[in-house]
């Protein structure tokens, strides 16, 4: 099934023509639970990986056998999905209670080579904003599922670009680490439904005059909403026979109110897993992310987000999911939570093979 982002509630370039110079496309991936094949674009699916090529491994010294068994993480999610809308059975509860973080693989030494976790496979055939080295059409993303790397103690990400036509026999079975440091470092296997959308740059990176125009416009919208509420809302409780009738009238009035429009939530940067587009700096001040080889500014290649959309960005929820807007499998399909909810992988546009960088929000 395709996924279709609703039109933005306002033609923001029509209101602010200067924003045309601050537009960029992004490809929303819209991951949803499924069973992809090795040749498909996917999240946490099997990879088009040659049988004779070594699998990426983590060689950094850190505890590697202590945490959550991957098999437990996946079983927990299957049980929770199967029990949605009902209580757990006694057997399900017993199995869930038995899943503990522990030293599950005591023989695995800190300095042993640990297979990295396959996180995503993306093809330029499916993802229009995916741009890599010339002649290479497939991106494969891995990470070590332990937040124990570098001075900031984050996960370690590996990118592999390749030409899909060069892959002969596919490696099977494919390696994976037995344990993850946190359950939220393990993505659920998903098919993807790529969709290209238009984004506009983060408000704090626009020139000061344009920022002020946008802010004044938003304040004007709020003033209009306040006036409408005053004129059209239900009268005082004294006008109703019972307080329950008053409450019902208030609820009906709120349901008819249009959602507030906000530049950052509705008109700027799409939420969710995506390729390309702009970076949001909603939790910190904007920070430059430049290539450490050539100094070129590095835009996001891949954004890993906890949410397909949250309460503030609900206008981005695909049309096809409107009847399931509270379903965790729609709002949080992948089950990954890194940093404070969002991680970006940045690559150098001058040379995608220059070392990538990560940023977190």
């Amino acid at each position: 099934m395709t996924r279709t982002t609703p039109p933005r509630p306002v033609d923001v370039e029509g209101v602010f023509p200067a924003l045309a110079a601050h537009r960029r496309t992004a490809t929303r991936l819209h991951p949803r639970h499924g069973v992809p094949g090795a040749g498909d674009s996917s999240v946490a699916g099997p990879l088009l990986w040659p049988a004779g090529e070594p699998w990426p491994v983590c060689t950094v010294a850190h505890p590697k056998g202590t945490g959550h068994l991957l098999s437990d993480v996946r079983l927990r999610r299957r049980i929770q999905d199967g029990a949605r809308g009902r209580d757990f059975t006694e057997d399900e509860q017993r199995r869930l209670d038995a899943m503990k973080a522990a030293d599950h693989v005591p023989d695995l030494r800190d300095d042993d080579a640990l297979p990295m976790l396959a996180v995503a496979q993306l093809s330029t055939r499916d993802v229009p904003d995916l741009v890599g080295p010339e002649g290479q059409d497939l991106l494969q993303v891995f990470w070590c599922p332990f937040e124990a790397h570098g001075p900031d103690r984050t996960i370690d990400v590996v990118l592999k670009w390749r030409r899909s036509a060069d892959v002969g026999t596919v490696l099977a079975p494919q390696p994976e680490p037995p344990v993850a440091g946190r359950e939220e470092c393990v993505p659920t296997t998903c098919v993807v439904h790529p969709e290209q959308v238009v984004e506009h740059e983060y408000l704090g990176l626009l020139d000061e005059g344009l920022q002020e125009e946008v802010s004044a416009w938003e304040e004007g919208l709020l003033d209009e909403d306040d006036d409408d509420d005053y004129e059209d809302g239900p009268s005082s409780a004294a006008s109703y026979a019972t307080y329950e009738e008053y409450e019902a009238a208030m609820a009906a009035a709120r349901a008819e109110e249009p959602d507030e429009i906000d530049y950052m939530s509705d008109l700027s940067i799409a939420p969710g897993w995506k390729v390309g587009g702009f970076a949001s700096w909603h939790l910190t001040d904007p920070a430059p992310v430049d290539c450490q080889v050539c100094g070129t500014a590095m835009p996001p290649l891949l954004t890993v987000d906890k949410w397909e959309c949250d309460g503030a960005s609900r206008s981005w929820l695909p049309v096809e999911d409107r009847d399931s807007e509270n379903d965790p499998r729609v709002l949080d399909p992948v089950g990954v939570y890194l940093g404070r909810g969002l991680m970006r992988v940045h690559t150098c546009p001058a040379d995608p093979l220059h070392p990538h960088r990560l940023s977190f929000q």
Side-chain angles (χ1 to χ4, degrees):
M1 180 185 293
T2 59
R3 290 296 187 275
T4 310
T5 299
R8 297 301 79 215
V10 168
D11 175 9
V12 71
E13 289 184 19
V15 179
F16 305 104
L19 282 173
H22 299 273
R23 65 149 51 202
R24 184 182 291 170
T25 58
T27 302
R28 302 185 72 192
L29 296 178
H30 299 306
R32 298 292 185 272
H33 297 180
V35 186
D40 298 332
S41 294
S42 68
V43 170
L47 302 186
L48 199 64
W49 190 269
E53 186 173 324
W55 190 267
V57 295
C58 174
T59 57
V60 174
H62 62 74
K64 292 174 177 170
T66 301
H68 299 267
L69 287 170
L70 260 67
S71 55
D72 281 353
V73 173
R74 291 164 179 159
L75 178 57
R76 178 189 297 278
R77 292 175 183 175
R78 289 197 298 272
I79 291 174
Q80 290 171 336
D81 281 347
R84 202 165 305 284
R86 63 169 174 82
D87 293 334
F88 295 124
T89 65
E90 289 186 11
D91 180 61
E92 288 170 340
Q93 190 62 62
R94 177 186 57 78
R95 298 168 82 181
L96 291 170
D97 291 342
M99 299 176 189
K100 306 290 185 183
D103 188 8
H104 291 289
V105 192
D107 293 337
L108 190 60
R109 301 193 311 269
D110 290 359
D111 58 354
D112 282 348
L114 184 74
M116 288 194 139
L117 193 60
V119 172
Q121 176 170 270
L122 302 172
S123 170
T124 57
R125 173 194 65 221
D126 304 318
V127 183
D129 287 287
L130 183 65
V131 179
E134 186 174 356
Q136 298 185 8
D137 63 335
L138 195 66
L139 172 67
Q140 295 167 327
V141 182
F142 304 81
W143 64 48
C144 174
F146 289 87
E147 293 162 309
H149 300 266
D152 296 328
R153 310 293 289 174
T154 62
I155 62 169
D156 184 35
V157 175
V158 169
L159 305 181
K160 173 63 180 178
W161 291 96
R162 69 168 72 252
R163 184 172 178 266
S164 59
D166 293 340
V167 179
T169 302
V170 176
L171 178 66
Q174 298 187 347
E176 63 180 15
V179 174
R182 287 194 305 117
E183 295 185 50
E184 294 84 359
C185 293
V186 182
T188 297
T189 300
C190 291
V191 296
V192 296
H193 308 277
E195 177 202 18
Q196 193 172 47
V197 297
V198 172
E199 295 189 340
H200 293 90
E201 195 160 16
Y202 177 71
L203 182 64
L205 292 174
L206 301 176
D207 66 75
E208 187 173 341
L210 188 51
Q211 288 186 49
E212 291 175 354
E213 288 181 42
V214 172
S215 296
W217 175 73
E218 290 178 335
E219 290 175 6
L221 292 178
L222 289 175
D223 289 343
E224 290 177 9
D225 288 343
D226 290 343
D227 290 343
D228 290 343
D229 291 345
Y230 179 78
E231 293 174 3
D232 302 329
S235 55
S236 68
S239 304
Y240 293 84
T242 66
Y243 185 75
E244 287 73 18
E245 289 182 10
Y246 171 69
E247 278 291 288
M250 288 291 290
R254 285 193 296 268
E256 293 176 1
E257 290 176 3
D259 293 333
E260 292 180 0
I261 299 172
D262 176 83
Y263 175 78
M264 283 307 305
S265 297
D266 303 302
L267 308 174
S268 177
I269 298 173
W273 284 58
K274 64 181 183 178
V275 170
F278 288 105
S280 173
W281 300 96
H282 50 281
L283 296 181
T284 67
D285 290 333
V289 183
D290 298 332
C291 179
Q292 295 173 323
V293 175
C294 66
T296 303
M298 302 171 76
L301 171 74
L302 175 66
T303 297
V304 172
D305 199 345
K306 173 172 175 56
W307 303 109
E308 171 78 348
C309 62
D310 61 13
S313 58
R314 195 57 63 97
S315 71
W316 294 90
L317 185 70
V319 171
E320 294 81 1
D321 294 319
R322 289 290 166 165
D323 292 337
S324 306
E325 62 178 340
N326 295 314
D327 189 336
R329 292 166 295 185
V330 169
L331 298 182
D332 178 20
V334 185
V336 163
Y337 193 103
L338 303 176
R340 285 175 281 184
L342 183 148
M343 181 190 77
R344 295 179 292 254
V345 182
H346 300 254
T347 53
C348 178
D351 187 344
L353 295 179
H354 284 171
H356 61 270
R357 297 185 62 184
L358 306 179
S359 66
F360 295 85
Q361 288 288 288

